[in-house]
Amino acid sequence: MSKSDASLKTADLCDIHEEHLQVCTPGFRHYGGKRAFHGPITTLKCFEDNSRVREQLELPGEGRVLLVDGGGSLRCALLGDVLAQKAVDNGWSGVVVHGCIRDAAEIGGMSLGVMALATNPRKSVKKGAGEVGVEVSFSGVGFRPDEWLYADEDGIVVLPHQAG
C-alpha cells in the first residue's frame, strides 16, 4: 500500500489495483460523520453480542477500521453512540458492521466512518462471545486482518497489505 493511495477514491483504487482488490457487494449505508475513511482492518466475528466490539474499541485504534461480521443479523444493534464515541476517542478511523447499528443521529455527528446494513433500536446481548483477528467473509469479500479497507460514497474496497 503506497502512502499516495490513502487519498484516492474507491473508484480510483479499482482502476489502479483492479487485479489485487476486492469490492463489497452494494448494500451498506453510511451512518458516521466521515463519509470517506480507510485503514488497516481489525476483524471481529460475533452474532448478536457486542461485548467484543466494546473491548476492541476501548483499545488504541491507531487509524484502523474495525470490521464486524455480525452475520448480517438485523435483529439487534452491534454499535451505538457510546461505543462509537469510544472509537472516536481512541483513534479508530471507522467501523463497518455486517449487521445493525443504533443511535444513528448521534453517530452521524461524530468524526468517524460508520457503515452498516441498517439500524435497529434493540441492543445486543452481552455474553462475551466473539472472535477477534479471524478471517471473515461476507458481501462477496474475504477480509483478513491488516488488509486495507477503503470506504466512500461509491462503496467499500479491500486491498491486501502487500499490494501496491
Side-chain angles (χ1 to χ4, degrees):
M1 175 58 45
S2 72
K3 205 164 183 67
S4 63
D5 285 347
S7 63
L8 293 177
K9 298 177 184 177
T10 57
D12 294 336
L13 289 168
C14 285
D15 294 346
I16 295 167
H17 298 288
E18 182 177 2
E19 67 283 356
H20 298 293
L21 63 72
Q22 300 179 77
V23 179
C24 282
T25 304
F28 286 88
R29 295 184 50 201
H30 283 276
Y31 293 100
K34 285 175 50 178
R35 304 294 274 189
F37 60 97
H38 65 275
I41 300 169
T42 294
T43 60
L44 170 58
K45 185 172 187 160
C46 58
F47 187 74
E48 298 181 1
D49 182 339
N50 74 346
S51 304
R52 299 278 185 245
V53 175
R54 172 181 291 277
E55 288 174 6
Q56 289 304 298
L57 295 177
E58 288 176 340
L59 298 172
E62 300 172 340
R64 299 180 68 79
V65 175
L66 182 61
L67 182 93
V68 181
D69 180 0
S73 174
L74 303 178
R75 295 190 295 219
C76 67
L78 295 175
L79 180 77
D81 61 341
V82 172
L83 295 186
Q85 187 60 55
K86 286 184 183 300
V88 171
D89 294 344
N90 291 317
W92 290 84
S93 175
V95 181
V96 175
V97 180
H98 186 232
C100 292
I101 67 152
R102 67 187 203 162
D103 304 313
E106 292 84 355
I107 290 173
M110 295 180 188
S111 182
L112 180 69
V114 176
M115 293 182 77
L117 298 177
T119 60
N120 187 324
R122 181 176 289 129
K123 67 182 178 179
S124 77
V125 298
K126 286 145 184 59
K127 296 182 178 179
E131 299 174 87
V132 177
V134 296
E135 184 172 338
V136 297
S137 182
F138 57 83
S139 299
V141 173
F143 301 91
R144 291 180 264 324
D146 297 320
E147 290 183 320
W148 277 73
L149 182 143
Y150 291 81
D152 64 16
E153 293 293 346
D154 289 332
I156 300 171
V157 300
V158 176
L159 274 166
H161 63 278
Q162 70 272 14

